[in-house]
Amino acid sequence: MPYCPKCKRDYEKGKTTCTYCEVTLVEEESDEVGNDQLEEIKKLCSVYTLQEADIIIALLNSYEIPAIKKSEQIGDYLTVAMGSSMYGYDIYVPIRLFDQAELLLNAQNIEED
């Protein structure tokens, strides 16, 4: 059964374009992630608080640089359970955007001084 990969609506056989999104319908959804969709990441920096991590990620995202935060050991669990982690947070970005992210972060640090 054809469905829209954007809005996930199902359609009758014979239909080729989504009425709402105007994208080409596909036959079946794949749950597998292909190697071309995986991207290597690199640690950009470490910060102590969740708020610092969220501010840096928001800054990077505003420049269309995807970023994630990760805490060591049980830090991610502590963040969920208690709202913060005593282990701090590491910020990761795609390797292909690392230099751009580093320049952006360094430019923000210079402006604060």
Side-chain angles (χ1 to χ4, degrees), residues 1-30:
M1 174 180 284
Y3 81 99
C4 175
K6 187 172 181 181
C7 70
K8 309 294 185 202
R9 287 186 170 92
D10 290 325
Y11 286 91
E12 300 173 0
K13 286 192 176 196
K15 192 88 165 141
T16 58
T17 306
C18 177
T19 308
Y20 301 95
C21 305
E22 299 179 354
V23 298
T24 303
L25 301 178
V26 295
E27 280 302 316
E28 63 181 62
E29 186 171 4
S30 173

Side-chain angles (χ1 to χ4, degrees), residues 54-92:
D54 289 341
I55 288 169
I56 291 171
I57 289 173
L59 172 69
L60 294 169
N61 288 341
S62 72
Y63 285 88
E64 297 183 2
I65 300 172
I68 59 169
K69 63 181 174 271
K70 177 90 174 94
S71 186
E72 291 189 21
Q73 299 179 15
I74 63 167
D76 288 329
Y77 169 76
L78 290 173
T79 300
V80 171
M82 303 180 72
S84 65
S85 167
M86 62 185 175
Y87 297 102
Y89 301 90
D90 297 328
I91 309 293
Y92 292 87

